[in-house]
Amino acid sequence: MRQRLTIPRLIGSLLLFATAGVGCGEAAADTDATDGKAPGSAAAEPEVRPLGRIVPVPASVTPEGEPYTLTAATRIGVDASSGESQALGRYLAGLLRPATGFPLPVVDDRAAGHGIRLRLDPDETGLGDEGYRLRSAPDGLTLTAREPAGLFRGVQTLRQQLPSAVERKSVQPGPWKIAGGTVTDTPRYAYRGAMLDVARHFFTVDEVKRYIDQLALYKVNTLHLHLSDDQGWRIAVDSWPRLTTHGGSTEVGGGTGGFYTKAQYREIVEYAASRYQEVIPEIDMPGHTNAALASYAELTCDGVAPPLYTGTKVGFSSLCVPKPVTYDFVDDVVREIAALTPGRYLHIGGDEAHSTSHADYVTFMDKVQPVVAKYGKTVVGWHQLTGATPAEGALVQYWGLDRTPAEEKERVAAAARNGTGLILSPADRTYLDMKYTKDTPLGLAWAGYVEVRRSYDWNPATYLPGAPEDAVRGVEAPLWTETLASTGDLDVMAFPRLPGIAELGWSPAAAHDWDTYKERLAEQAPRFDALGITWYRSPEVPWPAE
């Protein structure tokens, strides 16, 4: 039987309104509504949200006393000597000003009075790199962390404790109260990721930024960008310019595609960093490479460039493993992308290389992994990398299914026992492009149907038989885009499943409980609406009445 924390029981007992499932559908947002509500949202929210009744659920919650009230006199106090602290103060003020209408000046901590204080304390070692403490009382609210990332995660808790109307871009009536007490919170896993495939359908810089902001609300700290595939190459490489001018000129269905200049890619990386997210670029190799092969015939074994590809089948392409030019190509691409990417990792793909012999696959990975290390990055690969020898320190990303053959699971588990770290992305649990049901108009179903409960109700620590719990670095929710061409398409497939996967990565294992989670998730609906997120009204969740 799954152990339960006091926290879910406590917040479960603090329900302030009844909810009921109303079937499935989609709720579109009216982001400029002035009444604090939108189609599909509840008629009313509690004036004070019970402390800790958010997603992801915090590690420790102690309700106490009266709430803190945000007013026109509130000031945001920061350490004036810390640039990051000041930036976080401005970020918080930018979140709160539009809906409250309050000026919320960012001032030195000593001048904050009964306001909101953001405090960095290097002695708070127990909070780690991303933990925080929130203390709310009538005379002020204080967020404390050891590192700026922790303050940023705490800001997400603060905003979720406020009424959902705080997310709107026009002035709302309030009041703006945060329940009294203390939240002390640290993440379960250091790696909490989401992947966005911009290769099958291209998404602009602003569209990627929008997704980054959605991820930030749920304390996701890693953005994995799938930058190349058969259908398109999306990142400029100066030494191989036709990768983008030709290979990036189309997408699934024959659209115009697109690509990021180096400046645009840096803009994405810097924006993610401002939300304390690390970008992991992926160049999928040796398969999933038709866009590259179409751009440069010398990368093929027969010297003939294939046509550009706009379909969705997989496994038909491969770089030519025996050719020396292949490794010149890999070296150039890795060197240029590594130079643009301040993060620790570079993802080399490695999945579905059906047109590459096993011997060639092993040869290729043995040659390519040292190139990644040469340019100062750590290898990440899909779990097929365990068919070769993962480099020391490498991470493998498991995307198998519950029904994946035991021998394949054991091969991955054996690598984990030998020191390879695991990122868990089981396709029939975390792939956000899988259909919810047979009636879902978007998405695919090769991994099965993935409803909201299925995406949430599994334990990363025990998911892969034979893999040590300490080998699991975290979880990631991939969003593939064969059928997704707009931000609305991304929204409806990611929400409401993404918040649950984020909770698996952040919240304590003992807090994992579907019955209490679905109630907290239901209360996110007005926030989705206020943020302009199109979402799927799963019948498994007791959403507020329409």
Side-chain angles (χ1 to χ4, degrees):
M1 179 178 293
R2 187 175 289 114
Q3 187 181 17
R4 299 186 185 182
L5 269 185
T6 305
I7 300 162
R9 287 177 176 166
L10 169 66
I11 61 180
S13 69
L14 293 173
L15 271 173
L16 298 184
F17 54 83
T19 57
V22 293
C24 59
E26 298 175 12
D30 172 12
T31 56
D32 293 320
T34 57
D35 61 356
K37 299 184 289 297
S41 63
E45 289 185 88
E47 184 173 286
V48 183
R49 185 180 307 280
L51 195 66
R53 197 171 173 82
I54 63 172
V55 178
V57 66
S60 173
V61 177
T62 306
E64 183 181 13
E66 295 300 308
Y68 173 73
T69 303
L70 196 69
T71 71
T74 298
R75 288 176 283 185
I76 298 174
V78 300
D79 179 353
S81 67
S82 166
E84 286 188 283
S85 183
Q86 291 182 67
L88 284 163
R90 291 191 296 270
Y91 169 77
L92 175 59
L95 287 174
L96 302 181
R97 282 172 181 152
T100 65
F102 301 153
L104 301 174
V106 179
V107 300
D108 183 86
D109 182 75
R110 292 167 294 183
H114 295 315
I116 298 172
R117 287 181 163 84
L118 306 182
R119 288 183 171 168
L120 289 172
D121 185 348
D123 294 329
E124 289 279 4
T125 55
L127 295 177
D129 292 339
E130 293 186 275
Y132 65 91
R133 182 180 301 107
L134 181 153
R135 286 185 173 143
S136 172
D139 61 354
L141 185 147
T142 301
L143 272 173
T144 304
R146 186 172 73 92
E147 299 289 345
L151 282 183
F152 185 82
R153 308 301 174 218
V155 164
Q156 309 313 314
T157 292
L158 185 159
R159 73 192 274 202
Q160 281 201 42
Q161 286 291 159
L162 287 164
S164 61
V166 79
E167 310 290 354
R168 295 191 176 276
K169 301 304 181 187
S170 57
V171 176
Q172 307 295 307
W176 309 107
K177 296 184 178 182
I178 296 174
T182 301
V183 173
T184 304
D185 205 9
T186 55
R188 179 183 184 186
Y189 292 114
Y191 187 110
R192 305 177 309 282
M195 188 215 78
L196 181 60
D197 169 23
V198 296
R200 271 54 177 274
H201 278 100
F202 181 67
F203 290 86
T204 66
V205 171
D206 285 342
E207 288 170 334
V208 175
K209 287 181 177 180
R210 181 177 185 270
Y211 199 54
I212 288 169
D213 280 329
Q214 291 172 350
L215 300 177
L217 177 59
Y218 297 102
K219 301 185 173 71
V220 171
N221 68 355
T222 305
L223 175 66
H224 168 186
L225 280 179
H226 185 76
L227 291 167
S228 70
D229 216 296
D230 292 316
Q231 300 88 348
W233 187 285
R234 307 303 183 200
I235 178 69
V237 178
D238 293 341
S239 49
W240 298 77
R242 275 179 56 83
L243 289 173
T244 49
T245 57
H246 185 67
S249 65
T250 192
E251 61 186 12
V252 168
T256 56
F259 66 92
Y260 307 120
T261 66
K262 287 188 170 182
Q264 288 173 326
Y265 176 76
R266 286 192 191 97
E267 185 179 347
I268 290 171
V269 169
E270 290 169 4
Y271 192 82
S274 76
R275 273 58 175 160
Y276 294 88
Q277 292 172 31
E278 181 175 349
V279 171
I280 300 179
E282 180 188 353
I283 302 298
D284 207 345
M285 307 179 279
H288 289 279
T289 48
N290 191 81
L293 302 176
S295 302
Y296 288 97
E298 58 264 43
L299 298 177
T300 68
C301 286
D302 62 6
V304 178
L308 292 170
Y309 181 68
T310 61
T312 60
K313 292 183 179 179
V314 299
F316 61 87
S317 61
S318 179
L319 294 170
C320 189
V321 173
K323 277 189 170 183
V325 69
T326 294
Y327 305 98
D328 295 336
F329 167 77
V330 170
D331 192 283
D332 287 338
V333 169
V334 170
R335 171 176 50 81
E336 293 195 35
I337 294 177
L340 297 172
T341 306
R344 297 162 288 175
Y345 301 111
L346 196 147
H347 203 304
I348 58 173
D351 63 319
E352 296 175 323
H354 305 320
S355 296
T356 312
S357 71
H358 176 68
D360 277 356
Y361 183 89
V362 171
T363 297
F364 181 83
M365 289 302 179
D366 285 349
K367 290 185 176 182
V368 167
Q369 291 185 92
V371 175
V372 176
K374 172 182 171 183
Y375 294 110
K377 302 303 177 186
T378 296
V379 166
V380 185
W382 298 106
H383 75 261
Q384 284 76 16
L385 180 60
T386 60
T389 302
E392 184 176 354
L395 302 180
V396 296
Q397 187 168 357
Y398 180 79
W399 61 276
L401 316 175
D402 285 3
R403 64 177 184 271
T404 292
E407 58 269 21
E408 184 174 352
K409 291 181 178 179
E410 169 53 26
R411 189 185 73 217
V412 179
R417 293 194 296 271
N418 287 330
T420 298
L422 298 179
I423 303 165
L424 295 180
S425 299
D428 53 349
R429 302 280 182 173
T430 69
Y431 270 34
L432 300 178
D433 57 302
M434 289 299 109
K435 292 176 178 288
Y436 294 92
T437 71
K438 64 180 178 60
D439 298 318
T440 306
L442 297 169
L444 304 172
W446 58 263
Y449 302 122
V450 183
E451 252 288 5
V452 176
R453 179 169 186 171
R454 182 168 181 81
S455 68
Y456 175 81
D457 217 3
W458 60 286
N459 183 358
T462 59
Y463 178 79
L464 196 63
E469 288 192 20
D470 62 4
V472 178
R473 301 290 190 267
V475 295
E476 182 177 295
L479 185 51
W480 301 98
T481 62
E482 286 95 333
T483 69
L484 313 179
S486 70
T487 56
D489 292 346
L490 299 182
D491 284 359
V492 79
M493 300 307 284
F495 291 92
R497 291 179 292 195
L498 174 66
I501 298 166
E503 177 156 306
L504 289 180
W506 180 276
S507 301
H512 185 152
D513 177 77
W514 167 252
D515 288 334
T516 55
Y517 171 70
K518 69 182 180 182
E519 303 289 347
R520 287 182 288 110
L521 178 60
E523 292 166 7
Q524 293 289 306
R527 197 167 301 270
F528 297 160
D529 290 338
L531 287 165
I533 294 172
T534 305
W535 53 281
Y536 165 68
R537 199 175 182 89
S538 168
E540 296 185 336
V541 180
W543 304 108
E546 291 186 284

